[in-house]
Each structure stands twice: as C-alpha cells, then as structure tokens.
Amino acid sequence: MVCLGTLLLSVLHCYADFPMGKGRVALIGTYNYFYSNKYFDEKAKLIKYPTGDFFNSTSYGLTFMAGIGRKVDLNVSVPFVVQSITTSGVKQTNSGLGDANLGLSFHFPSESLTKSFTIKTGVILPLYQNDTLKTPYLGYASTGVQLGAAYAFSPFKQAYATLEFTYTRFLDASEGPNQYRGAFTLSKMLTNYTTLTGSFAHQISRSANTDFSQNISINKNFDGGTISLSLTQRITRTITPSIQGFYTLYGKNMGLGLGASFFVTVRIP
Amino acid sequence: MAIEFKIKKITQVLLVLVFVLSTTDGKAFQRKKQTPDVAVKFAPNNSRARFSAKFPIKYKISLTNNLKADQEGTLVYTITNGKGDQVVTNSMDVKVNAKKKLSSSFEIPLDIEGDYTINATLALTDYTENFNGELSYKGPPRKQKDRKGEINPYNTAWATDNINKDAPSNTAVLAPEKMSEAPEPVEEESEEEEGEIITKVKPAHADGLFFDKESIKYSVTITNKYKSKQEGTLNMIIVTEDGKVVNNKEVKLKLGKRGVKHFTMVLPAVKTPGIYNLRVAVNTTTYDDTSEHAFGYDINKINQPFHFPPQFDEYWKGALAELAATDPQYKITKDEGFSSRYHNVYRVDMMGIGNVPFFGYLTVPKLPGKYPVLIGYGGYRRDVLPMKFGDFISFAVNVRGLEKASIDLINPDKKEQIVINIEDKDKYVYRGIYTDCVRAVDFIFSHADMGMDLGRIVAFGGSQGATLGIITAALTPDRIGSAVASNPVFADWTNSLTIGQSKRELKFPINSIDEYIKKEKTLSQSEAIETLNYFDLMNFMPRVQCPILYAVGLLDEFIPPGSAIAAYNKLNPEVKAKSDLYIFPNLGHEVPTSHNVAISTWFSEKTLRKKSR
C-alpha cells in the first residue's frame, strides 16, 4: 500500500511571516486592554504613580489580510481606541479611531516553504487630530512610514520562530520620533489545533522631545523591553481565536504596562 | 557497427554485462595482458567496491576481442548476501565482433545495507571465465533524488522487484557505450588505473525546453578523477523518441590529472517540435561512459492526430448510463485503525458497473467545517491509503482489481490488468475502472452532509492515477473544479505503441500488450488499438473543462513524453490558459519532491473559488 504523495499542506497555514497564499483572505478582530500605574524613569528606575493614578487603554481593531500574490500580502488595520488617565481622582477619557496601518509584505520563502524571509513596508495614517480640548491624546497624530525585515523558520519539530526588525519614522514633526524595534517570537504547536507563542521585543524610540507623560502613547524618547505569551486555539476550519498577555520587563522613560488581548482570526474561505 | 544486440526478455531498467570481478580485498580488478585472445577488464566504479546512496553500485567493463572470429555469448551474474541468499540475478547477451573492443558501465539494482559477494560467468564462443569478488553497500537505501530516471514509489508495480528472496532472473543487453577497433596486442604487463570521469550536463534552460529555432545549448562539466591525463572525445547525439539520429557534435577532450573542464556545447536547432533524447558519450584514454538526457523543442506545437473511435461520445454516454443504473450500495464503515485524534477515516464500499465491488478511504478532519475535497486515484494496480490533510477532506479511491473480491470477478485468469478483455470494448476492464472513478465522485456528491464542500473538488493522482483524475474530470465536467496530474499515462496509444516498439527494450505497458497479442492470438495490434482508443487520455482532453496541473518527466519510460505532452496540447485553449505544465528533463516516471509545494499551492488556490454548477 502506498500513500499518494507527501504533501506539504501544513505550511500553507497562516503562520506569521509566511505567505498567506494567493487569493486567500483573513479577517482578524482584536480587543486589547492596557493598564499602567508605574513607569521607568530616565535612569530605568521603577516609580509608582501616586495611589489611585493610572493610565489605561482599550482598543478594538479590525485587520484585513489578503494574499494578493503568491509572495505578496496586503494588510490593512484600523483600531478604535478608548483611553483614559486618572489623576488625583479625576478621570479624563478620549476615544476615536486611532492609527491606521496599510502595509505590504514581500515574502521570499524557501523552495520547501519551511523558511521565509520577508520585507515589510507600511504607512501609518492617523485617523484623528490632537485637540487640546480632547485629552488624553490618542497618539502622535503623525503620518509615519515603516520598513521591516523578518526571517521565519522552524527551529524544531512542530514549531516556528520569527526574528524581526522594524524601523518606523513619524514624519509630521521634526522631532519624529524614530523608532527601532527588534523581536523574537517562538511558537510551539501543542496539538494540531493549539499553539503556544512566546515573544520578546525590545524597542528604542528616539526624539529631541524627551518629556515623559503619564499618557504613554505620546512619549517619544524611551527604551523598553516587553514579553508576551499567547495561546491560539483553532475551533473550526476557518475560525481561530487567541488570547494574549503582555508585560513590560524594563525600560527608560517608559510606562510599565500590563495588558491582555483577545483576537479572532477568520480565514476566508 | 560490429556489435549486434539481442533481447531475450526485458524486465528491468538498464542492466548489464560482462564482467569480471575484483580480487577479494575489494581492489579494482587488475588484469595482466599477455596478448590474450579475449581480454576482459572489470572494476567497480568505487575503487574499494564500497557503495552508498550517493554512490550506487556500478561497475565498468571493457572487452577486447583479438580473435578473427566474432565472440557471442552470455554474461550471468549473481549477488549473494551474507546469509547466502541470492538477492539479484541478471543475465545479458553479449556479442563482440572480430577485432573489436567494447566498453561499458552498468549499475546493479541493490541498495540494501550489507556485504555481498558477486559471482559472474562470461561464456563466449571461444572464451569462458568466472569472476568472483566482494562488495558492500553502506547506509540507507537510495532516496528518490538519487534515482534520476527511475520510477517513483507509486509506480513500483511497473518494474520488476529485483531485490527479493526469490532472486528473479532478468536478461538485458550489453549497453553499447563504446565500440572501437581492438587495439594492437600489448606485450608488456600493464595495470588498470583507479578512477573515473564524471560528466555533468545541464540544459541552458532548467526545464530542458527550447523554442523558436533556438540552438540546443548545454553546459558541460567534466571532472577527471584519474591520477593521469585523459584524452579522448565527448560526443552529443540528438535522437528522436523513436530512435532516429537527428544530429550530433563531437569535441576533443584533454583533461589534466584530476582536472576539471567546463564548456558549453551548442548543437544545431532541431526542426520539428517534439521530445528528443540526448546521448552524451565520453570516451577517454581509460574511461568510457554514456549517459541519457532529454530536452523538448517547441513542445507547445507538439500535435499528434486524434484517433477517435466510432461513436466515442455515445460509448461513454452508454457507460455512464450503465453506471447510473447500477445500485451503488454505499456502505460506510469507520476504520478505527486509520482514524486518529484529528481525523475520522471511513472505508466506503461501493458497486461499479457489472456489480463489481471497489472501495475508497474517506478521511474527514474532526474540526467542524465545510471542507474542500481532494479525490485521489492510485497508480497501476496500486492501493492507496487514507490521506490526512488539515484543510481538506480526502477520498483515496481503490478501483476494481485491487481486492480479491473484485479480482475474482474481473480477472479469474490472472491476466495482466491492461489486457483484460481487450478484445471487446464493452467488456474491457478500463470501462469499469474509469466508471469506478466517476462512482467515487457520485459518492462525494451524495454525502455532502459529511462536511464536503461540493463547490471545491480536486481530482489528483500520479501515473495511472493522473490519467484517472483527468478522465474523471472529463466525464464529470460539472463536478470537478481542478485536477493535478503527475506523469499521466495511456495517452496517444497509436504513437505510444509505435515509439515503444522502436525501443530495444519494450517497457510496460507496451510489452504486456505485445506479449498478449503474440501469445493469445485473439486479436491483432490494430484491433487492440481500436479498443484502446476508447480509453485514450488524449481523446478525453478536449472534454476537460477544469484547469490541470500537469507534470511530465522527459525520461519517462512508461509513456513517450511526447505523447503525454501531445495530450496536454489537446486541452481547449481556455482550459489550457488556466492550466500549468511542469517539465522535468532529468526525471523519468516521477516528479521531484519540490513539486509537492506546487501541488499544495495548486490545491490551496484552486479551492478558493466555488465551481459554478
């Protein structure tokens, strides 16, 4: 008895930084919660805000991904952000559409599709304007461009890893910032349907503006490292929900964040 | 040409010859010349007679006839393992005319780890000699990538298994790699030097295809592994599929000791669209070898005439009506042995026309959802196992003739399947096999509740399975969304028989049909073709309405590659525009592992859109 060919279908799953496949589409709905009541000062010392003071942010996002070629993917994401600062018992809240991201990924997979090198380009488009009457600000309110490279591979059985570097430049203000981010992600398939993913990222943001705000989304000059852990469970052929937790390990001029995300990926068809 | 070749019986890939074996320490055989009447030199290509997957068991041989009389006879060799079992036995007819020299090399089809002895007897008209020696094979069996030009696993039934306890006997002929005048007798003693010449040729285009009066260009790399200079020639000969020499080009070679030479050979363009074989013969001071290659020229213009039999369409309408009138008697049984944590596997028993039973393995992912369906068909007389995919339901179809229940019904006389009832088109076995494939599709469409997405169905297979998939698509054009066909066979029978019979060795299926006609005397060849035309893949191609991923190896021995491509060219232009043709110039009846990625991509992309019905 002979099996009809050994086929590498598994590699066509929507792994990060592997090509999606021409014509394939995925929708990802996300929910993020972020909370911060401490920060790292410019000397990396952890300082707690006065009791009762904190910053939190909730965002809802929709990401559309499409394989527009066998090696080119398009992605568009639009978030809706609600964030607030509570200081001395006074809570300020602002909400609205956040920074949209429009990007193209160019993949260069190995012949066996077990490794892939990716060049990413993207544009950040703020869907809001900062108004002194509406605080806390939702972000820099600046157009930005992104350039990144990622290498995805399988370090051992039923696992894949990604090493990624991204450069982001915000253009509307002379003070930028310029941001550099490096990340390493390791995913292990616990079963055919369940994947555990751990990630470490270090980010450097440089700007002439070295001010620190409790509204961490507008800080421009900081360093920091975060870790995250996520669990992904495929529940039908097309629907895959995930939960994720993240934490800021260290930093300078940066808020210590603690948060959680929930997202659902829907493959079409 | 002073040498004649006789073929007694062909059962295998090229084997060979005449030899004399090395001494027991495994060193190359070193024979002292004292003006012998017949001189034989023999040595393993690997100087210590140690072989592996990378270095298959290969010997070289030269035979010099200094007599005034032709020498004719047989070489028989036997390979024995450490337990004393004879694992390979082969024989070959040999004839060397008077005052001629013949050189060749040959490969022994053995890749099981172990130490072996080789015993050979060369019996010529006036010369007999026995040779004994030792050899060893280390490491794992050879992988597909090491077996260029050989068959792939799903077609192994087409080749005689030469490595078994029954030690089947085969007969081949001595390969004519070099023929020349016998040299003047050497009075002094001489020793045969160890080494070899490695010749690599690559077509200018990786797919081996040339177009529009383009010159035939090959890059050549020749490596001299000898410790001495080598002089001689490299000859490239272009030959048509039926063995006619088109043109050739010879260059002189001068290789320093352990030297490497790179150059480009440019041969004149061929004029007629087709597939051509390229023989590359290297003859140097102490080494002679010939390798076979192939290329295609203007393959998009390969155009063989149709040979439609009378009332072809009516014949198949009748067959499908007979199928529709046959109660399918579906019986679905969960196979706990094949089922797994992620898949349920069911054995599906069905009835085909003539109430002949057959079955398939339906594999359904446990995760909820509507899944595209891949229907897989097996090679000639090959069972197929359940196929487990994460994103697809699969149906592995085992047509009639594979299980005892159906064999007893359709082949009580134990004939070769290809000739069962070939005398009568209405009883020919492939009428049942083709309609079994359609019945499998009927099953899918009547069991959508098991998770099948009926708008996304792909038929696929290799070898005969490729043919079955395409013909199923032709017979059910409103149901199959796309097809994947690797190394299809049974195409353009008229041309295939002509080309097949022009070969020195007849290969399956030509040999089976030929033998049957000669032995049974119940029909002529033209009558056989008349039946086969009803089942010719080429005649179905214009009826295919879905795109096909089609792959052909240009060294395929089971179908002339030109016939396979001629069939592809019969697709409707709109269908052809959506289809993909992959050509593998260095492969025989197989596709490379890397092609699986193309197949996977095809599955993924072609099941994105529902087929409108």
Side-chain angles (χ1 to χ4, degrees), chain B residues 220-523:
Chain B
V220 181
T221 304
I222 299 186
T223 307
N224 175 19
K225 295 286 187 183
Y226 286 100
K227 293 174 186 170
S228 62
K229 291 179 182 174
Q230 295 286 314
E231 289 191 19
T233 58
L234 178 141
N235 195 4
M236 282 190 164
I237 307 161
I238 295 177
V239 182
T240 61
E241 283 190 293
D242 58 354
K244 296 184 179 72
V245 174
V246 175
N247 57 44
N248 76 312
K249 185 172 184 180
E250 184 176 278
V251 293
K252 287 193 175 356
L253 289 177
K254 276 189 180 178
L255 295 163
K257 63 179 183 180
R258 298 195 180 279
V260 180
K261 208 159 210 177
H262 306 277
F263 55 94
T264 301
M265 285 284 274
V266 182
L267 291 106
V270 292
K271 291 175 183 170
T272 312
I275 302 301
Y276 294 85
N277 294 319
L278 181 73
R279 290 184 191 147
V280 180
V282 174
N283 303 319
T284 67
T285 318
T286 56
Y287 189 87
D288 305 293
D289 202 2
T290 301
S291 54
E292 293 279 343
H293 309 266
F295 65 88
Y297 178 71
D298 274 353
I299 62 165
N300 53 323
K301 295 176 185 166
I302 294 175
N303 183 23
Q304 294 292 340
F306 280 115
H307 295 280
F308 277 114
Q311 299 183 316
F312 178 79
D313 288 333
E314 287 70 18
Y315 175 84
W316 283 105
K317 277 180 191 167
L320 293 178
E322 187 181 346
L323 179 70
T326 304
D327 181 0
Q329 300 178 44
Y330 299 126
K331 182 185 167 193
I332 304 170
T333 313
K334 188 173 180 184
D335 189 317
E336 297 292 352
F338 280 127
S339 294
S340 66
R341 182 177 177 186
Y342 305 113
H343 293 89
N344 288 319
V345 177
Y346 305 92
R347 180 185 162 108
V348 179
D349 287 283
M350 297 163 271
M351 286 291 178
I353 59 175
N355 284 322
V356 175
F358 70 102
F359 75 102
Y361 287 113
L362 182 74
T363 304
V364 183
K366 287 184 177 176
L367 214 57
K370 280 274 186 190
Y371 288 85
V373 183
L374 307 180
I375 305 178
Y377 299 104
Y380 185 77
R381 295 181 60 202
R382 303 304 294 177
D383 295 347
V384 284
L385 287 172
M387 299 168 289
K388 294 173 181 171
F389 300 111
D391 285 340
F392 301 94
I393 287 175
S394 73
F395 195 30
V397 182
N398 290 282
V399 294
R400 63 185 59 198
L402 294 171
E403 285 202 315
K404 189 174 183 306
S406 69
I407 292 172
D408 290 346
L409 283 172
I410 66 169
N411 194 15
D413 301 330
K414 304 290 185 285
K415 291 178 183 174
E416 185 64 46
Q417 178 175 284
I418 192 80
V419 297
I420 298 173
N421 296 332
I422 195 171
E423 294 84 356
D424 184 347
K425 68 180 190 299
D426 294 321
K427 294 178 181 172
Y428 185 47
V429 67
Y430 276 86
R431 178 182 168 99
I433 288 174
Y434 287 2
T435 49
D436 286 350
C437 296
V438 174
R439 174 110 298 166
V441 179
D442 290 342
F443 169 79
I444 296 296
F445 275 77
S446 58
H447 291 79
D449 58 332
M450 295 182 79
M452 286 81 144
D453 185 339
L454 301 182
R456 310 175 203 277
I457 294 187
V458 182
F460 81 105
S463 189
Q464 175 188 272
T467 303
L468 297 181
I470 294 173
I471 287 174
T472 305
L475 292 174
T476 60
D478 57 336
R479 292 182 163 188
I480 303 296
S482 68
V484 174
S486 303
N487 312 109
V489 292
F490 307 158
D492 193 11
W493 273 112
T494 304
N495 188 48
S496 294
L497 277 162
T498 303
I499 290 173
Q501 288 170 340
S502 72
K503 307 283 185 190
R504 282 208 306 270
E505 294 181 71
L506 296 190
K507 296 289 183 184
F508 183 88
I510 308 302
N511 61 344
S512 295
I513 295 168
D514 208 57
E515 283 173 18
Y516 182 79
I517 290 171
K518 286 174 183 166
K519 185 180 168 189
E520 298 295 330
K521 302 186 191 311
T522 53
L523 78 170

Side-chain angles (χ1 to χ4, degrees), chain A residues 39-76:
Chain A
Y39 70 100
F40 296 98
D41 68 8
E42 68 276 10
K43 293 180 180 174
K45 185 180 175 185
L46 185 61
I47 296 173
K48 193 175 187 309
Y49 296 128
T51 304
D53 290 2
F54 62 89
F55 167 84
N56 76 339
S57 168
T58 303
S59 70
Y60 308 86
L62 189 63
T63 298
F64 169 84
M65 298 176 70
I68 57 175
R70 284 185 178 166
K71 296 176 182 175
V72 183
D73 294 341
L74 167 74
N75 63 77
V76 179

Side-chain angles (χ1 to χ4, degrees), chain B residues 76-256:
Chain B
V76 179
Y77 75 85
T78 302
I79 307 290
T80 308
N81 66 17
K83 298 175 183 174
D85 299 325
Q86 293 181 355
V87 292
V88 179
T89 298
N90 280 305
S91 66
M92 169 164 288
D93 290 348
V94 181
K95 186 177 179 182
V96 187
N97 281 15
K99 297 291 181 185
K100 295 292 178 183
K101 181 181 178 182
L102 180 145
S103 298
S104 186
S105 63
F106 66 97
E107 189 174 322
I108 295 175
L110 178 61
D111 61 2
I112 298 172
E113 188 167 45
D115 295 321
Y116 301 91
T117 58
I118 181 166
N119 303 288
T121 301
L122 175 66
L124 301 177
T125 314
D126 301 309
Y127 181 86
T128 300
E129 191 162 349
N130 295 312
F131 308 102
N132 303 295
E134 294 178 349
L135 61 99
S136 64
Y137 184 92
K138 301 295 180 192
R142 298 176 65 199
K143 294 178 181 175
Q144 278 304 308
K145 64 185 178 65
D146 299 320
R147 295 173 181 271
K148 288 183 176 178
E150 295 181 21
I151 55 175
N152 59 0
Y154 53 75
N155 308 113
T156 47
W158 286 16
T160 301
D161 183 355
N162 222 37
I163 309 170
N164 63 35
K165 290 180 181 177
D166 299 329
S169 179
N170 302 297
T171 303
V173 292
L174 181 62
E177 293 173 2
K178 182 184 178 185
M179 293 156 281
S180 60
E181 297 296 325
E184 290 298 314
V186 180
E187 297 297 334
E188 295 179 2
E189 294 183 356
S190 64
E191 289 191 346
E192 185 72 17
E193 189 190 346
E194 296 173 25
E196 64 179 322
I197 304 283
I198 297 172
T199 308
K200 292 181 180 173
V201 297
K202 282 185 182 173
H205 310 295
D207 56 7
L209 300 180
F210 300 88
F211 294 91
D212 298 332
K213 299 177 182 174
E214 187 180 3
S215 298
I216 310 303
K217 282 187 189 172
Y218 274 80
S219 68
V220 181
T221 304
I222 299 186
T223 307
N224 175 19
K225 295 286 187 183
Y226 286 100
K227 293 174 186 170
S228 62
K229 291 179 182 174
Q230 295 286 314
E231 289 191 19
T233 58
L234 178 141
N235 195 4
M236 282 190 164
I237 307 161
I238 295 177
V239 182
T240 61
E241 283 190 293
D242 58 354
K244 296 184 179 72
V245 174
V246 175
N247 57 44
N248 76 312
K249 185 172 184 180
E250 184 176 278
V251 293
K252 287 193 175 356
L253 289 177
K254 276 189 180 178
L255 295 163

Side-chain angles (χ1 to χ4, degrees), chain A:
Chain A
M1 304 259 280
V2 180
C3 189
L4 261 185
T6 308
L7 299 167
L8 300 173
L9 292 164
S10 59
V11 300
L12 294 176
H13 291 163
C14 289
Y15 291 155
D17 293 317
F18 280 92
M20 286 194 59
K22 184 181 175 184
R24 212 163 268 288
V25 172
L27 281 176
I28 306 172
T30 59
Y31 166 82
N32 287 287
Y33 178 78
F34 181 86
Y35 174 86
S36 175
N37 64 354
K38 298 173 187 172
Y39 70 100
F40 296 98
D41 68 8
E42 68 276 10
K43 293 180 180 174
K45 185 180 175 185
L46 185 61
I47 296 173
K48 193 175 187 309
Y49 296 128
T51 304
D53 290 2
F54 62 89
F55 167 84
N56 76 339
S57 168
T58 303
S59 70
Y60 308 86
L62 189 63
T63 298
F64 169 84
M65 298 176 70
I68 57 175
R70 284 185 178 166
K71 296 176 182 175
V72 183
D73 294 341
L74 167 74
N75 63 77
V76 179
S77 63
V78 179
F80 182 84
V81 183
V82 180
Q83 59 188 37
S84 63
I85 292 177
T86 301
T87 309
S88 304
V90 178
K91 184 176 182 180
Q92 290 181 298
T93 300
N94 189 9
S95 64
L97 292 172
D99 289 315
N101 197 307
L102 176 67
L104 285 174
S105 299
F106 302 88
H107 303 281
F108 303 92
S110 64
E111 191 177 40
S112 61
L113 291 186
T114 53
K115 290 174 275 191
S116 185
F117 178 74
T118 301
I119 299 286
K120 299 178 180 183
T121 59
V123 179
I124 297 167
L125 300 169
L127 303 177
Y128 58 94
Q129 289 183 327
N130 286 341
D131 180 343
T132 52
L133 298 176
K134 291 180 72 178
T135 57
Y137 293 157
L138 300 179
Y140 302 138
S142 170
T143 307
V145 291
Q146 275 187 326
L147 185 65
Y151 178 67
F153 59 100
S154 180
F156 49 87
K157 194 177 177 185
Q158 298 282 57
Y160 66 95
T162 305
L163 192 60
E164 179 180 9
F165 295 94
T166 311
Y167 167 72
T168 307
R169 166 73 185 180
F170 287 89
L171 303 169
D172 290 354
S174 59
E175 60 194 24
N178 289 316
Q179 295 184 332
Y180 310 88
R181 183 176 182 273
F184 178 73
T185 303
L186 179 65
S187 294
K188 167 70 179 165
M189 293 180 71
L190 303 178
T191 72
N192 275 14
Y193 309 137
T194 311
T195 303
L196 184 66
T197 300
S199 182
F200 168 76
H202 180 81
Q203 188 175 20
I204 299 169
S205 183
R206 288 289 173 264
S207 171
N209 180 352
T210 60
D211 294 345
F212 177 77
S213 167
Q214 191 178 341
N215 177 3
I216 64 168
S217 60
I218 60 170
N219 291 330
K220 293 187 172 179
N221 196 72
F222 60 87
D223 297 358
T226 55
I227 57 166
S228 66
L229 194 65
S230 67
L231 189 67
T232 300
Q233 175 70 39
R234 194 176 173 196
I235 57 171
T236 73
R237 187 181 75 82
T238 56
I239 299 174
T240 307
S242 303
I243 55 169
Q244 184 184 58
F246 53 89
Y247 184 73
T248 309
L249 284 179
Y250 60 88
K252 287 181 183 175
N253 220 34
M254 180 175 178
L256 183 148
L258 174 71
S261 299
F262 174 77
F263 45 100
V264 179
T265 304
V266 181
R267 291 174 57 196
I268 305 168

